[in-house]
Amino acid sequence: MDTPWIQTHDLCRYYRRGPQQVRAVDGVNLSIDRGEFLGIVGASGSGKSTILNLLAGLDSPTSGSIDFEGVPLGSLNRRQLAAYRAHRVGMIFQSFNLLGHHTALGNVELALYFNDTPHRERTRLAAETLKRLGLGDRLDHRPGDLSGGEQQRVAIARALVKRPEILFADEPTGNLDHENTRQIAELLTDLNRQGLTVVMVTHDLDLARQCTQRMIRMHYGRLAAPKDPAFGGGTAS
Amino acid sequence: MIIRDLLAVATGNLWRMKLRAFLTISGVVIAIAAFVAMLSFGAGMQKNIAEQFNELGLFSTIQIYPRGARAANHTDKAAVLDDHAVAAIAALPGVQLAYPFDEFSVTVTVADTQITTEAQPLPTVATRTKAFSRLLAGKSLSSDSTHEALVTEEFMQMLKINDPDSLLGRQLIVSVKVSSLDSAVARVPQSMVETIDERAREIRFDSLRNKHYLERIVRRELQIAMSGFVDGFMNARATVSDTLNICGVLEGRHGGPLRIKPVVFPIRTGKRFSSAGYSGDPIDMFTSLNSGTLFASSGDTTGKSYPKVTLNLDQYADYESVSDTIEALGYRTFSFAKEFKEIRRFFIYFDLALAVIGLIALITASLGIVNTMIMSIIERTREIGVLKSLGADERDIRVLFLVESGLIGAIGAIFGILLGWTISRVASAIARIIMERREIPDMDLFTMPPWLVLTAFLFAVAVSLAAGYYPASRAARVDPVEALHTE
Ligand SMILES: Nc1ncnc2c1ncn2[C@@H]1O[C@H](COP(=O)(O)OP(=O)(O)OP(=O)(O)O)[C@@H](O)[C@H]1O
Ligand SMILES: [Mg+2]
């Protein structure tokens, strides 16, 4: 069997809260193939965000490891880990996390400061990406002047502008209405079709069903079989 | 991130918190302005002194004095500054010129006015040195034996004359009252005899065996002899006069070792007064006593000793080795070059003291920077999280915040230097008005050499960076997961 693109081994992330220990992620073995659209569902507090942050190299595991193309992320130093985030990974969040004092363009450009993109290229690439996402006439708007759906599209543009290999989306539609959710779902499916690997955390089963190819469910930090058998194939490997 | 991006981002961030940045920068501006203005004053003082020294050629002169009784080394016979010694000193390597200083109390008559003042003879070569070459009118002495005289501004003031040109060519009758030693010595027996009967009658001869009584008697007799000598010296005077033409007016110099006597005449012409005896100046007499030349026959100037000899060095001569040589000959020397070394050392402390005041202000300002940066980090936690999620590493974040605080310092320094410069200009203008009123020669009290500007700038940036270091490190350590979680 081929080694998977991304593979976690007994991945654990514990938090200490007073005398108690919270096992946010507790012994997860998960593999992700290049080009797939993986959905992670689960109850609130089941550790979905935590595992995403670990996979994105933003957090480090208490124990266990994540291999990316066979290289353990734990073997990288801080700089290399930052470079991993800068070059290979795109992230979007439920709360968008746009910087209010920057324009849409500025927010997107920000992603290119850390991956050696020349100054001139930056503005061009950022504008291009925003246009591609239908925000061509919103370049100079600040996040406060944009709708929730538009803000999320700016956030997606920021994640995409550096041409990442994998996109981690943490409840990207959590703050959006039905119509905007549909648009974002379409956008992500589209991007996945173009070859981008997408890992999306959501508590919206319909959404997950609609766009993901595979779905895993988290339960108290562990992987569980998906609730909906109709969605077959959702197995922990 | 490249420095250009960093600067752009940092500027943007400062611009976003305009008011706070403005207040913090103002602190730096005030501190740097104080620092710059104070050091500018220190540098100005130093420059003025150096310039004045240089202008008067003081760096190339050494003043030589007899060691006198206060000499540290009592076993040495104090060397005498006579014509012989002057010639010997002039012949030393590195010495361009050596001339003695002498002075007389003179009575000067110009037209109808008669004043009593001081005069000094000077060789023509000396009048060509920087110290004597600043003429308000006319020209210098033409030879060592002409009947010419130079007068100074001080002289003009004494005569209440305002136009120096009006003095040129005027006749000057110079009279010196001289005392002859012969008359002084002759007066001794005279004074002793005067009341001798009376004194003899008083003496209790049978008590002469008593040591104390004898001592008292002897002391009294000596006192009488001495007072007779002094009486003769002071009163039995002859007057030597000469008529000189005023050929030039020297710029005056007030007080200190730089003061030129109001009347200067050629050295040979001056010998007339000198060789006629003693000027009546008790100092003169005691110098002679000290050097053992008091009883040299009058009229013989080889025995005359001077209170001071001025020496001009060759351009490249080393003042230290020359003054060492002269001190080894048994004289005391004073050189402005050496003195200036001391002054320079003093100025280092002076500047340091001024800098410390500026530094305290700067430290206060740096606390403002620390405060601003910490506030800024607390407010921007989420931003730091976003940047980290986008691929910024700890170093990027630290550098970004350091650049921000460095920028506060740099902007503060630029405006601080401008403000400091403005303050120094205003203070200088005020000082000039005051100096003009008090008739102090015009000078700029402040100077701002490039090194000062550069030092102030680097100082401000360095202190700001130091102030930003802790906040920046704190920013770098922000946990992105937690930071992104904060709403
Ligand atoms: N920084 C932290 N310190 C302590 N406990 C934490 C921390 N972050 C997460 N946890 C805990 O870890 C568990 C998993 O959290 P996580 O955010 O991964 O859940 P989630 O599945 O994303 O939930 P939600 O659907 O509400 O976003 C929770 O019990 C949470 O309280
Ligand atoms: Mg979550």
Side-chain angles (χ1 to χ4, degrees):
Chain A
M1 197 180 121
D2 281 348
T3 47
W5 193 40
I6 298 171
Q7 173 75 55
T8 73
H9 303 281
D10 283 325
L11 193 64
C12 294
R13 179 65 167 101
Y14 302 157
Y15 290 108
R16 192 153 277 294
R17 198 184 283 153
Q20 261 168 300
Q21 198 180 42
V22 180
R23 300 180 171 215
V25 172
D26 192 14
V28 169
N29 290 295
L30 171 70
S31 64
I32 300 165
D33 291 326
R34 197 189 264 273
E36 76 168 319
F37 196 140
L38 176 69
I40 301 177
V41 294
S44 182
S46 59
K48 306 183 296 292
S49 295
T50 306
I51 201 167
L52 214 60
N53 289 333
L54 289 167
L55 288 169
L58 210 56
D59 197 2
S60 19
T62 309
S63 67
S65 66
I66 302 164
D67 290 353
F68 189 95
E69 289 180 343
V71 180
L73 291 186
S75 72
L76 305 180
N77 62 28
R78 285 177 214 266
R79 268 194 93 68
Q80 289 167 322
L81 207 59
Y84 166 72
R85 293 196 301 269
H87 292 274
R88 317 191 79 159
V89 171
M91 290 189 87
I92 50 181
F93 309 93
Q94 176 179 355
S95 51
F96 319 139
N97 276 326
L98 295 174
L99 303 185
H101 48 275
H102 285 294
T103 60
L105 189 68
N107 267 286
V108 177
E109 274 188 75
L110 217 52
L112 298 173
Y113 276 101
F114 306 103
N115 74 344
D116 315 320
T117 312
H119 178 74
R120 284 188 176 283
E121 280 289 279
R122 246 170 13 216
T123 314
R124 192 183 60 75
L125 279 174
E128 212 175 85
T129 312
L130 281 165
K131 276 177 199 152
R132 200 145 56 87
L133 296 182
L135 292 164
D137 54 348
R138 292 277 194 272
L139 300 186
D140 294 327
H141 289 230
R142 284 171 203 279
D145 302 332
L146 298 172
S147 75
E150 286 167 335
Q151 287 188 50
Q152 192 58 297
R153 274 186 283 157
V154 174
I156 294 171
R158 183 178 64 187
L160 293 180
V161 71
K162 54 190 176 178
R163 301 178 198 285
E165 295 166 47
I166 186 163
L167 181 70
F168 294 107
D170 193 353
E171 310 218 27
T173 59
N175 274 341
L176 301 179
D177 64 14
H178 187 73
E179 176 54 21
N180 275 311
T181 301
R182 198 187 55 75
Q183 279 183 17
I184 298 296
E186 250 169 47
L187 184 59
L188 293 178
T189 319
D190 231 38
L191 290 166
N192 177 247
R193 256 188 233 121
Q194 287 163 31
L196 182 70
T197 311
V198 181
V199 178
M200 180 175 74
V201 164
T202 183
H203 58 259
D204 184 344
L205 266 175
D206 284 339
L207 178 72
R209 253 188 229 113
Q210 188 188 324
C211 40
T212 65
Q213 297 151 1
R214 184 163 69 105
M215 196 157 63
I216 55 170
R217 197 166 70 86
M218 289 201 69
H219 188 65
Y220 291 114
R222 293 171 172 276
L223 289 188
K227 255 183 190 165
D228 186 352
F231 216 83
T235 50
S237 56
Chain B
M1 283 176 92
I2 58 166
I3 189 72
R4 196 179 124 176
D5 291 342
L6 285 168
L7 284 175
V9 173
T11 317
N13 286 335
L14 291 184
W15 184 247
R16 245 194 308 139
M17 43 174 202
K18 287 184 257 325
L19 180 63
R20 204 190 299 157
F22 172 76
L23 293 174
T24 312
I25 289 171
S26 298
V28 179
V29 168
I30 291 164
I32 287 295
F35 182 80
V36 162
M38 291 206 196
L39 281 185
S40 161
F41 178 67
M45 293 299 273
Q46 207 165 340
K47 186 169 158 241
N48 283 326
I49 291 177
E51 257 170 18
Q52 242 165 3
F53 274 35
N54 222 358
E55 210 171 305
L56 297 171
L58 291 181
F59 285 126
S60 56
T61 60
I62 296 175
Q63 312 291 339
I64 304 162
Y65 303 92
R67 253 204 201 137
R70 281 173 300 161
N73 196 345
H74 288 285
T75 55
D76 277 356
K77 182 187 177 294
V80 180
L81 276 176
D82 53 13
D83 284 342
H84 226 66
V86 175
I89 289 166
L92 288 174
V95 177
Q96 188 189 52
L97 168 71
Y99 57 90
F101 171 81
D102 204 358
E103 64 180 331
F104 306 94
S105 199
V106 291
T107 308
V108 178
T109 315
V110 188
D112 302 330
T113 324
Q114 194 177 60
I115 53 168
T116 303
T117 180
E118 294 154 303
Q120 76 182 102
L122 208 63
T124 3
V125 277
T127 62
R128 308 233 162 83
T129 61
K130 279 181 178 172
F132 295 95
S133 57
R134 299 215 291 192
L135 285 160
L136 289 177
K139 52 182 184 53
S140 209
L141 304 172
S142 56
S143 86
D144 281 344
S145 50
T146 77
H147 284 251
E148 286 173 340
L150 288 167
V151 293
T152 67
E153 246 179 313
E154 193 183 339
F155 182 82
M156 280 170 52
Q157 282 159 10
M158 283 191 266
L159 287 175
K160 299 193 173 61
I161 291 172
N162 290 322
D163 178 18
D165 288 304
S166 69
L167 274 171
L168 296 178
R170 295 272 281 274
Q171 277 201 340
L172 200 69
I173 300 163
V174 179
S175 328
V176 179
K177 270 197 175 161
V178 291
S179 314
S180 104
L181 262 189
D182 300 338
S183 67
V185 174
R187 187 79 181 79
V188 175
Q190 202 183 327
S191 64
M192 303 253 355
V193 166
E194 254 166 25
T195 54
I196 193 153
D197 290 345
E198 213 174 305
R199 291 184 343 256
R201 232 177 293 132
E202 277 174 14
I203 295 174
R204 287 176 279 127
F205 289 96
D206 49 341
S207 299
L208 279 177
R209 259 191 246 148
N210 181 316
K211 211 173 97 190
H212 297 290
Y213 182 72
L214 183 63
E215 202 178 301
R216 219 174 71 209
I217 296 293
V218 170
R219 198 170 274 175
R220 189 185 66 187
E221 292 304 304
L222 278 175
Q223 227 158 15
I224 290 163
M226 194 64 204
S227 67
F229 178 85
V230 172
D231 193 37
F233 191 83
M234 300 307 272
N235 293 323
R237 288 175 164 197
T239 303
V240 180
S241 311
D242 208 340
T243 306
L244 307 171
N245 283 314
I246 296 176
C247 66
V249 181
L250 287 165
E251 200 172 279
R253 214 153 282 129
H254 304 263
L258 304 181
R259 181 168 168 262
I260 303 172
K261 301 296 175 192
V263 179
V264 176
F265 43 72
I267 190 154
R268 290 257 164 102
T269 314
K271 283 262 155 82
R272 254 176 69 84
F273 306 116
S274 181
S275 59
Y278 290 87
S279 62
D281 184 343
I283 304 255
D284 200 0
M285 187 177 100
F286 288 115
T287 350
S288 306
L289 265 174
N290 192 33
S291 57
T293 57
L294 183 62
F295 295 104
S297 66
S298 36
D300 173 14
T301 61
T302 52
K304 161 97 183 162
S305 77
Y306 305 103
K308 181 174 100 174
V309 169
T310 302
L311 178 159
N312 275 60
L313 290 166
D314 280 337
Q315 199 179 350
Y316 299 107
D318 170 26
Y319 75 87
E320 266 179 284
S321 72
V322 175
S323 54
D324 283 351
T325 313
I326 292 166
E327 294 213 346
L329 290 174
Y331 303 103
R332 200 157 58 78
T333 64
F334 173 89
S335 85
F336 281 95
K338 195 154 96 195
E339 213 62 13
F340 196 68
K341 238 181 169 177
E342 294 290 311
I343 290 172
R344 230 180 227 153
R345 194 164 31 219
F346 162 76
F347 268 111
I348 289 173
Y349 293 122
F350 185 63
D351 289 351
L352 223 56
L354 294 179
V356 162
I357 297 171
L359 200 62
I360 289 169
L362 204 54
I363 287 169
T364 313
S366 77
L367 293 179
I369 296 177
V370 175
N371 186 37
T372 300
M373 294 308 290
I374 287 176
M375 292 287 284
S376 156
I377 284 154
I378 289 168
E379 280 167 21
R380 282 155 66 188
T381 304
R382 205 169 63 96
E383 180 179 339
I384 295 165
V386 170
L387 293 179
K388 282 196 167 179
S389 80
L390 291 174
D393 67 5
E394 291 193 1
R395 215 193 59 159
D396 287 320
I397 303 291
R398 185 184 296 119
V399 170
L400 180 63
F401 279 87
L402 277 179
V403 167
E404 249 172 70
S405 56
L407 205 58
I408 288 176
I411 296 171
I414 291 167
F415 287 101
I417 290 164
L418 288 177
L419 180 62
W421 180 81
T422 312
I423 290 170
S424 76
R425 286 302 91 205
V426 171
S428 177
I430 293 170
R432 275 190 158 143
I433 293 168
I434 294 169
M435 287 193 293
E436 199 171 299
R437 279 207 195 125
R438 305 216 172 145
E439 291 177 24
I440 296 168
D442 181 64
M443 61 176 156
D444 195 346
L445 289 181
F446 296 83
T447 179
M448 206 170 292
W451 66 260
L452 175 54
V453 174
L454 195 69
T455 309
F457 184 81
L458 294 180
F459 224 36
V461 173
V463 169
S464 307
L465 288 178
Y469 189 79
Y470 165 71
S473 303
R474 219 176 108 164
R477 284 197 310 268
V478 163
D479 176 5
V481 176
E482 269 177 55
L484 288 168
H485 210 68
T486 43
E487 286 298 303

